Amino acid sequence: MPLPLNDEHRDLAASVAAFARRTAPVEATRARFAEYAAGGRPDSWDAMLPLGLHCLHLPEEYGGGGAGLPELAVVAEQLGKALFPGPYLPTVLASAVVASARTDGEAGSGSLEPAGELLTAFSEGATGALVVGRGLSAARSRDGWTVSGTTGPVLGLPGAEIVIVRADVEDSPGESLWFRLAEGPSVAIGADDGTDLTRSVGRLELDAHRVDEERVLRGLVPARVDLTVNALLAAEASGITAWCLDTAVEHAKTRVQFGRPVGAFQAVQHKAAMMLVRSEITCAAAWDAARAADQPTLQQELAAAQAAITALPLAVDTALECVTVLGGIGFTWEHDAHLYWRRAISVASAAGAEERWATRLGEAALKGRRDFSFVGEDDLAELRIQVGNALDEVLALPEEEVTGSGWATSRGGARRARLADAGLVSPHYPPPYGLGAGPAEQAVIGGEFARRGLVQPTTVIGEWVLPTLLVHGTTAQQERFIGATLRGEIVWCQLFSEPGAGSDLAGLSTKARKVPGGWSLSGQKVWNSLAHEADWGVCLARTDSDVPKHQGLSYFLVDMRSAGVEVRPLRQATGLSEFNEVFLDDVFVPDECLVAEPGHGWRLAVTTLSNERLSMGSTKLHHGSADRIRRLLETGGHDAGRQETVRALGRGVAREIALSALNLRSVLARLSNLDVGAEISVLKVYNTLAQREGSRELLRLLGPLGCVVDPDADHVIDHIGLPAVLFGGGTIEIQLNVIAQRVLGLPR
């Protein structure tokens, strides 16, 4: 899914894509590499000016379009996908930073007229470059400044008409001087051989260069500058990953080897599916950075750093994977893949070292967390009052729930009953069981719980079972099970997996034989969470062996206290017993506990499993969370140094921000009636990968402390418990199969 989430942005993206295809085909760009390396403009530059794509983000009073960073990011993404050549991105980086001086400057900070003059020039079509790296030092003089030094490579510097420069102020750590560069003998701009062949790159050398006060730009906030730069670089990276994904998938569908399309081979399918995951995460990271433009400073710091850590490296990885899918074809000079790969490397490098951004994100994460709220404090006021009154009543009731062990939910109690009666246990369910709450209403309800220090209840396995009953169950089944589950009177388990049919549910062998008044179930189930505490289980069993395996399954509700049910806890590698194996020996299930018709079990199981994947993909990390690394920093329980641990925290927070951004985009897409497509599987895959990498990161930090099990911290056990996530809800490999075949349309 590209950056746009509303009709206006989608229309903008479509028009920009059409413009780029019409005016800047890649074959025309190839003919002018030398010209672009010297800073030349493409012929399409003059055609773009009447459309206002270069200035849509600038204030209207200076000739701009009055839009913001999110709109500019949409344009940057589409032009990145088209490999649009020349100075566009360097120019809007410079002009967007200058525009932020107007809005972010503090009263009394001095005249902002230089910024106004620059904005007018940019709106009229001047090209620009932004010098923000290290290497320049500014010293105060009697009536201005003197700047000396040499910068690193800067995108778009050769040929730029307006150059905006940042220099470190001597003897004032953290203070910067911003100014518009003037030509003169103290200025030297050298052109480099750029990695990206479609735009110029060079270095700025200043030798006691004088900067008069009228050229100084004031009111620039470092966090906003970083956000602007990284959001636009990430947006272009998102366009690059989209092109790479489309190109690889098209090749995999049409290239035939060994008599089959290469996309039919599982190794290629998994490559392509992971490219989609990377592309979606890159897009989410870029989008999250762009939306932070009007948020507080700390939010901008968090969003800018995560874009640098997440989006930019993933674009490089995706471009390389595109080449590997294409094979030798993609490794030739004539194919465009290497041009996108080069640009991905260039924009990632332009942002600065990834490890430096990881340190900055880690330090920022110690001060606060990224805000993913999307409902205003004054929105849905009546609902806030309704929910607040109910929760206040709950707080006045005694805490008398019976606490379950491990993952089990608490049972019963007056508080839980009141929450169920108010529709607040699962508020997204329709009345009378919930409030029919959509995403915005659920966000408000969650906020009211948090405001009172209350944890929203969960039915655990019931979160997957009850939606199936709501869709497919009879009225009697709904009345019997849903309310009681919401009140905490019923705990569920899921009896799907079998020793001989783990992820291949269609291959299960548990049989259901028709008997008078019901069915007799016999077989063995395994990896059943909560079965040792559950009152009821949902069981998939084979009722017809003479039809194709998907068609012969039925979906039963099994009383776990029935004769013939034996539950044996399984001790895991962690030493804990959170799973079970369940033996069914002629277990009688009455007809009223068959859901839907015989043979419809697979369709019902898909409903159950899709709810499982959505729940697991959108929740916080169970293993390897950034909070564990925060705890290490607080307690000193690590062998690594502080800086290394802070960097690890930054990487962990970046993963969690990207996951939350992807989840929020999915929510907002639903609100805009967009087809969310791959999000559920992508969330599941990325969530699992994030937990695996975060848990492994913890072990890297522990050193010798990983030789022992600490009952207070249990970081080692946290890692050993990873298989519960790697297997639950379908393995990564199963999810990649789903993405490849059902989303990307690769052949089976």
Side-chain angles (χ1 to χ4, degrees), residues 157-210:
L157 183 59
E161 296 171 317
I162 297 174
V163 180
I164 306 301
V165 183
R166 188 200 71 82
D168 295 316
V169 176
E170 291 183 359
D171 303 322
S172 298
E175 184 179 351
S176 298
L177 172 71
W178 289 89
F179 61 96
R180 177 185 181 180
L181 184 68
E183 296 180 353
S186 59
V187 178
I189 294 177
D192 290 317
D193 291 333
T195 302
D196 181 357
L197 303 177
T198 68
R199 57 170 60 121
S200 68
V201 61
R203 303 169 198 253
L204 173 65
E205 182 178 356
L206 300 180
D207 183 11
H209 178 71
R210 179 180 175 79

Side-chain angles (χ1 to χ4, degrees), residues 355-441:
E355 290 300 284
R356 182 163 59 87
W357 283 111
T359 300
R360 292 181 61 176
L361 181 53
E363 295 288 2
L366 292 173
K367 296 184 289 186
R369 299 174 186 267
R370 187 78 179 96
D371 180 12
F372 285 97
S373 61
F374 62 97
V375 180
E377 288 293 324
D378 297 327
D379 294 341
L380 301 173
E382 292 185 6
L383 178 63
R384 290 183 189 277
I385 294 172
Q386 172 190 340
V387 173
N389 289 340
L391 294 181
D392 289 340
E393 292 179 21
V394 167
L395 285 171
L397 296 171
E399 297 186 47
E400 55 186 17
E401 293 89 353
V402 177
T403 303
S405 64
W407 303 327
T409 180
S410 298
R411 287 178 174 272
R415 287 190 170 192
R416 182 64 174 267
R418 180 66 185 95
L419 288 172
D421 181 63
L424 296 177
V425 175
S426 296
H428 55 295
Y429 290 177
Y433 307 112
L435 301 176
E441 290 79 8

Side-chain angles (χ1 to χ4, degrees), residues 539-550:
C539 180
L540 210 57
R542 186 167 301 285
T543 50
D544 190 344
S545 300
D546 297 328
V547 296
K549 56 185 183 178
H550 288 86

Side-chain angles (χ1 to χ4, degrees), residues 561-583:
R561 295 175 180 80
S562 299
V565 175
E566 181 183 359
V567 179
R568 298 179 188 173
L570 290 170
R571 192 179 187 190
Q572 302 144 228
T574 58
L576 305 175
S577 297
E578 298 165 309
F579 300 100
N580 306 269
E581 55 183 346
V582 176
F583 295 86

